[in-house]
Amino acid sequence: MQTGINRLEIKDFNLYYHRTKALEDISMMIPEKKVTAIIGPSGCGKSTLLRSINRMNEMIDGVTVEGQVLLDGEDIYQQDIDVVELRRKVGMVFQRPNPFPKSIFENVAFGVRMGDNVPAKQKLEEVVERSLKEAAIWDEVKDRLHRSAMELSGGQQQRICIARALAVEPEVILMDEPASALDPIATAKIEELIFRLKEKYTIVIVTHNMQQAARVSDFTAFLMLGKLVEFGPTEKMMTNPGSKLTEDYITGRFG
Amino acid sequence: MNSKGHLRKIKDRIKIGLTGSAVLLILAILAVILGTVIIGGYKSISWEFLTQPPKEGMTKGGIFPAIFGMVFSLLMMLIAVVPVGVATAVYLHEYARPDFILTKLIRGAVNNLAGVPSIVFGLFGLGFFIQFIGGSLDRSLGQSGLFGQPCILWASLTLALMNLPMIIVATEEALRAVPQAERAGALALGATKWQTIQNVVLPQAIPGILTGVVLVVSRGAGEVAPIMFTGAAYYLPYLPKLPTDQFMTLGYHIFVMTTQSPDIDATMPIAMGATLVLLALTFSLNIIAIIIRSRTRSQLRKGR
Ligand SMILES: Nc1ncnc2c1ncn2[C@@H]1O[C@H](COP(=O)(O)OP(=O)(O)O)[C@@H](O)[C@H]1O
Ligand SMILES: [Mg+2]
């Protein structure tokens, strides 16, 4: 099961903020090179679940976890796992664009520069160009690579952040409501991009927007109060949900 | 207009009037101080005044040794206080858990240190640095009077200790201003914690740290109490060469010229001139720092 279609698996996973349980018995497979959406009402634990996949929850005080998250068959919560290595394999894009106050070039090169062997200048330039092209922003910024990323629009900044994540050649990309701070046109661009990126990457995206989940994702996980209510192909979930709760949520009765 | 609105308007006027006159008062006080110093001091200022040592029992001549000693001691103070202060702030803000006992202890110590009067630092410097550390050093080296006596080293360390809280607080404030989202961004890219601090956090904190450095330099230049037992000399016929030499410094020189002079008519103009120089120095330091800060800011915004 580890090779082929299921490289990422969450198994009997619980997470506590101090004594409060935020995730309860989550088990799901995240298929390779597909887009998996995590949906659910605000505060149900979507971001928490996403951060569990690259151990970003460790930044937060008082977090404890139980269970496993398997990447290529290996539990990322094992003692001897190197989080730095893990995060190079599992990239992340945040809800609000968070470029560094550095040049576009330096933003994209950042992850590579922090690695063990920093490539020569020319190789680095190639990496930056490839990543910017992959993130569909190369044409917009190629003449201003050494200007600050802070001068760009929100949508452009978010694509820089995606390029930045791509530059370290991850296998999985986690996105936490990547378009929620953006206008509809910028949102459409991000969605197109996601659609193209799944050829190469496994993508997990949190969204509270049902239409967005329907548009971009192949699989959907529906979360409520920290529990996984339903997980399955997006199309089936949208047209023929297996649970009353899912149906209510999808038809907009709450959330 | 109804009477309520009218009343509010009158109240507004009164408030504006009060704050306005407070500002005017402050400006007036500043003008009087500056005026006194400038009028009293400008006649003394000349190239010779700035570059020559005092002459004829300090009733003539310049203040160069005092300027030189001040710069020497302040540089040494910065060499000591900036690394320690910044490192402490980074530890407190980036590494330490806020509920940890050691963290609370350090914080408590820093706060208490900030409230200690500067004369106490002077006495502490005398007792701890000179007599205890310096004395022990001398004894173990089998000599006397090298480290166990007032000198630039101990005066600078005393100033550094006095200013440590200010550097720590300024740095912590600067660190706090760096968005958490940027730290998360760096960590999520596989940067280690130290790489994140070094490459994302500290570069943005530099303007804030510089502010602290300027404040500390101004304060260090103006304080006499911490150095008068620990290294400052009444008068020296030579310039200090080593950190173990005593030194003349502007603030203490002014103090000496105004309070210890047998011929106040001769020394008062010199003291006024020295005061003007001290003010001008701290003023220009502040301006330089403001320029550096705004440059760093706009460079950060531009991304380089
Ligand atoms: N840093 C934190 N400390 C304590 N509780 C948290 C923290 N972050 C989230 N929570 C709690 O965990 C639950 C899930 O939050 P979150 O994952 O942000 O939900 P979502 O992303 O679905 O809106 C919420 O009840 C929230 O209050
Ligand atoms: Mg969220």
Side-chain angles (χ1 to χ4, degrees):
Chain A
M1 272 306 245
Q2 281 126 32
T3 52
I5 53 164
N6 285 310
R7 305 186 71 176
L8 188 56
E9 182 178 359
I10 299 167
K11 243 182 173 169
D12 308 321
F13 196 78
N14 293 283
L15 185 143
Y16 303 81
Y17 289 114
H18 295 283
R19 248 161 232 103
T20 329
K21 205 167 199 172
L23 294 176
E24 194 171 341
D25 283 330
I26 309 273
S27 290
M28 62 192 269
M29 302 268 205
I30 294 171
E32 198 185 355
K33 294 188 183 167
K34 297 273 185 259
V35 178
T36 301
I38 302 175
I39 63 169
S42 178
C44 70
K46 305 183 292 294
S47 300
T48 303
L49 180 58
L50 200 71
R51 287 196 300 263
S52 302
I53 304 175
N54 64 348
R55 288 180 53 173
M56 282 298 278
N57 281 323
E58 277 163 34
M59 271 182 83
I60 302 164
D61 234 29
V63 168
T64 44
V65 301
E66 296 163 0
Q68 296 180 314
V69 174
L70 301 166
L71 181 67
D72 300 326
E74 213 178 3
D75 182 10
I76 65 166
Y77 284 93
Q78 250 165 238
Q79 283 275 301
D80 57 346
I81 287 285
D82 180 3
V83 260
V84 166
E85 271 312 302
L86 168 70
R87 288 174 188 161
R88 297 184 151 263
K89 282 194 223 163
V90 184
M92 185 166 216
V93 177
F94 296 79
Q95 188 163 358
R96 301 200 152 271
N98 59 346
F100 306 122
K102 297 175 186 287
S103 70
I104 294 169
F105 186 93
E106 286 305 321
N107 262 279
V108 181
F110 186 87
V112 183
R113 279 202 202 281
M114 296 302 112
D116 288 334
N117 25 33
V118 183
K121 189 161 179 279
Q122 201 198 336
K123 179 79 203 315
L124 199 61
E125 281 169 0
E126 282 168 25
V127 170
V128 169
E129 180 173 343
R130 168 185 62 76
S131 311
L132 287 167
K133 279 180 174 160
E134 264 190 316
I137 188 154
W138 172 251
D139 289 331
E140 288 160 68
V141 300
K142 63 171 185 267
D143 299 321
R144 51 192 295 189
L145 290 179
H146 297 288
R147 305 265 299 273
S148 173
M150 309 306 264
E151 292 170 5
L152 301 172
S153 73
Q156 288 173 323
Q157 286 186 6
Q158 194 61 303
R159 277 176 290 150
I160 293 293
C161 290
I162 294 174
R164 185 171 79 174
L166 296 178
V168 291
E169 303 186 37
E171 297 167 18
V172 181
I173 300 171
L174 310 174
M175 299 184 172
D176 193 350
E177 306 195 33
S180 69
L182 307 180
D183 63 58
I185 293 171
T187 301
K189 281 191 180 149
I190 300 277
E191 288 182 7
E192 271 168 46
L193 178 57
I194 292 170
F195 199 78
R196 233 163 331 115
L197 287 176
K198 73 175 176 181
E199 281 172 24
K200 250 180 96 178
Y201 306 95
T202 303
I203 294 173
V204 187
I205 178 173
V206 166
T207 174
H208 62 238
N209 177 330
M210 289 305 309
Q211 285 76 33
Q212 186 171 64
R215 281 194 300 266
V216 302
S217 72
D218 305 295
F219 293 85
T220 297
F222 174 52
L223 234 57
M224 236 180 98
L225 297 171
K227 288 189 194 154
L228 182 63
V229 177
E230 193 173 344
F231 177 70
T234 302
E235 221 180 287
K236 176 180 177 290
M237 191 102 101
M238 298 294 165
T239 51
N240 183 21
S243 129
K244 181 81 174 66
L245 285 172
T246 319
E247 190 180 335
D248 286 351
Y249 182 70
I250 288 170
T251 52
R253 230 163 285 176
F254 61 85
Chain B
M1 189 192 292
N2 61 27
S3 67
K4 243 187 182 170
H6 201 65
L7 197 66
R8 198 179 315 127
K9 210 161 190 185
I10 291 174
K11 275 188 183 163
D12 258 16
R13 289 247 170 91
I14 293 175
K15 276 181 208 153
I16 292 171
L18 280 177
T19 42
S21 29
V23 171
L24 281 181
L25 184 68
I26 289 169
L27 286 179
I29 294 173
L30 188 66
V32 169
I33 294 175
L34 279 178
T36 317
V37 173
I38 291 174
I39 292 169
Y42 85 99
K43 278 192 237 104
S44 314
I45 306 281
S46 65
W47 183 246
E48 283 68 41
F49 186 71
L50 296 176
T51 56
Q52 296 294 314
K55 282 173 195 140
E56 295 180 29
M58 299 210 282
T59 53
K60 291 215 167 63
I63 54 167
F64 180 69
I67 297 175
F68 182 86
M70 183 179 78
V71 173
F72 197 156
S73 62
L74 291 180
L75 280 178
M76 282 196 53
M77 170 196 81
L78 286 182
I79 290 171
V81 76
V82 174
V84 175
V86 170
T88 309
V90 166
Y91 170 76
L92 284 176
H93 192 261
E94 305 289 327
Y95 287 96
R97 300 166 130 261
D99 50 351
F100 200 48
I101 296 211
L102 183 64
T103 319
K104 285 186 180 165
L105 266 174
I106 296 177
R107 254 182 227 292
V110 169
N111 287 339
N112 280 315
L113 213 54
V116 173
S118 53
I119 186 73
V120 178
F121 282 101
L123 291 171
F124 174 81
L126 179 64
F128 181 73
F129 288 131
I130 298 179
Q131 290 174 353
F132 180 64
I133 307 246
S136 320
L137 269 175
D138 277 349
R139 264 193 302 287
S140 63
L141 294 171
Q143 59 189 0
S144 69
L146 179 61
F147 290 106
Q149 48 107 23
C151 64
I152 300 183
L153 176 65
W154 303 136
S156 302
L157 287 184
T158 307
L159 284 174
L161 194 66
M162 178 184 80
N163 284 316
L164 191 58
M166 217 188 259
I167 292 285
I168 293 175
V169 169
T171 306
E172 265 206 276
E173 217 145 88
L175 295 174
R176 210 169 297 133
V178 177
Q180 205 59 32
E182 284 176 23
R183 291 186 179 82
L187 292 172
L189 286 167
T192 61
K193 188 146 187 173
W194 174 242
Q195 284 177 324
T196 303
I197 291 170
Q198 198 186 356
N199 295 286
V200 175
V201 178
L202 279 180
Q204 293 185 70
I206 283 173
I209 297 174
L210 275 181
T211 320
V213 166
V214 170
L215 287 175
V216 151
V217 168
S218 306
R219 190 170 170 221
E223 284 280 357
V224 173
I227 53 167
M228 56 196 236
F229 314 127
T230 54
Y234 187 92
Y235 171 75
L236 287 175
Y238 52 85
L239 291 179
K241 288 183 200 66
L242 296 171
T244 47
D245 292 337
Q246 288 197 25
F247 67 114
M248 292 176 73
T249 186
L250 224 38
Y252 189 57
H253 194 56
I254 294 167
F255 170 74
V256 166
M257 298 298 257
T258 46
T259 62
Q260 316 288 303
S261 163
D263 181 1
I264 193 78
D265 290 336
T267 52
M268 202 59 194
I270 299 179
M272 278 301 203
T275 309
L276 186 54
V277 170
L278 183 59
L279 268 182
L281 273 174
T282 34
F283 240 75
S284 27
L285 257 175
N286 276 285
I287 289 167
I288 290 169
I290 290 169
I291 293 170
I292 297 174
R293 277 177 67 196
S294 62
R295 264 232 205 114
T296 334
R297 283 246 174 83
S298 62
Q299 271 171 348
L300 276 175
R301 230 176 282 127
K302 272 192 256 131
R304 258 211 183 210

